[in-house]
Each structure stands twice: as structure tokens, then as C-alpha cells.
Amino acid sequence: MAISWNFNANDYEENTGFKPIPVGEYRVRIASAEETVSGNGNPMIKLVLDVSGYNSTIWHNVVFLADNQKLTNQKLGELFNSFGIQPGNFNLAGWVGKVGAAKVNHETHEGEAKARIAYFIAKDRQDKLPAWQEPSNKAEVTGQANGVPAGFTPIPDNSNLPWN
């Protein structure tokens, strides 16, 4: 089957890029959690996080490091605490929709600033943050093209870094 389409160049506008979520502390909601393997072959949980009030998402990886169990347990403990997940609960489907909080920083990748989770904020330190807010045009966020949510801002896979 051949594609039949009349392309109209007047409908095209050059994409000037997305602005990253500003540096700061935000409520975040787990949009998806997937068990996978890091580039170095370590077990890993890949999280996609919605950010309160924004149409963008942030990816965050939790890598299980057999040679650094203390660091792995620290990162898991921060995640469990922030989102109110029972420590040791790895039923990832049950994580989806849970709201926690995180500090967002910027990291430069290929010359562009990208939003990145610096750390998760403990539940008892989240009171000063505003309540969760859906993005203003949620209909665009839930629409998908080629399996990618609209407004999606990809973050590079740095799963081989020890602090992920």
C-alpha cells in the first residue's frame, strides 16, 4: 500500500525545542514503572514521572547494584518514603498513580538543558509543596503519537551511572 497524502508546507513550523521543567521541588506522579536491565546488565526499574502542573514527563532509573547494596537500598528507601510505598513492595503496577515529590535539576546533554530528578523528597517534607495539579491541557498529554505521550520530553538513559 502506498501512502497517499498532499503535504502542505504552510502547515509546517520548525520545532524550536521544548523548555525543560524549571529547577525546583515538585510533586511528581508515577505514570509507569517497568522492570528492565541497565546498559551494564544490572536489574533496573525505569520510572516515567508526571510533574505537577506540567505537560512534560521525566524518566528516572533505579539501578540495582549488587556491588553497592547500601546505595541501592538508600535510593529505594527514598523512593518508598516519598511515594508512600510499603518498603520492599516491588509490585510495580501498584506504584502507578502514586504521588510523591522530587527535586528537579538540569543536566546538559548534547548542548541542551534537560530536567532530571536529583532526589526524592521525604513524605514529611512535602507539606510545603502545592497540591497536585493536572496539566492545563490534559487532553494533549493523554493523546499519543507513535506510542509517545504528547508533550513528552525524553531524558537520556544514564542507567550506567552509579547514582541512578
Side-chain angles (χ1 to χ4, degrees):
M1 175 175 154
I3 295 175
S4 174
W5 186 262
N6 272 334
F7 174 72
N8 183 344
N10 293 327
D11 292 337
Y12 167 76
E13 291 181 30
E14 182 179 349
N15 182 352
T16 58
F18 294 101
K19 291 186 179 183
I21 295 164
V23 170
E25 295 183 347
Y26 298 93
R27 292 202 185 270
V28 292
R29 179 175 59 200
I30 299 173
S32 69
E34 173 189 358
E35 186 177 335
T36 187
V37 177
S38 74
N40 288 343
N42 293 311
M44 177 175 84
I45 297 172
K46 183 179 288 189
L47 298 171
V48 177
L49 302 164
D50 294 325
V51 180
S52 180
Y54 287 86
N55 290 324
S56 298
T57 56
I58 298 177
W59 288 356
H60 181 75
N61 300 321
V62 180
V63 180
F64 293 74
L65 302 170
D67 60 342
N68 196 343
Q69 292 182 11
K70 185 173 183 172
L71 177 62
T72 301
N73 286 326
Q74 178 66 33
K75 296 297 180 187
L76 285 169
E78 291 170 3
L79 177 89
F80 292 146
N81 181 306
S82 183
F83 290 91
I85 299 169
Q86 179 69 35
N89 172 359
F90 293 103
N91 173 13
L92 302 184
W95 292 15
V96 175
K98 297 228 179 249
V99 175
K103 167 72 173 177
V104 173
N105 279 344
H106 287 174
E107 177 181 280
T108 302
H109 179 72
E110 296 180 1
E112 289 188 48
K114 302 286 184 182
R116 180 164 177 78
I117 301 295
Y119 57 84
F120 291 110
I121 300 169
K123 197 59 115 177
D124 64 355
R125 291 188 35 238
Q126 296 177 19
D127 293 343
K128 64 181 178 167
L129 296 174
W132 173 264
Q133 294 179 331
E134 292 294 338
S136 58
N137 55 352
K138 184 64 177 167
E140 285 184 24
V141 174
T142 58
Q144 292 192 358
N146 298 323
V148 178
F152 180 74
T153 303
I155 301 298
D157 181 4
N158 293 322
S159 58
N160 59 338
L161 298 175
W163 54 84
N164 280 343

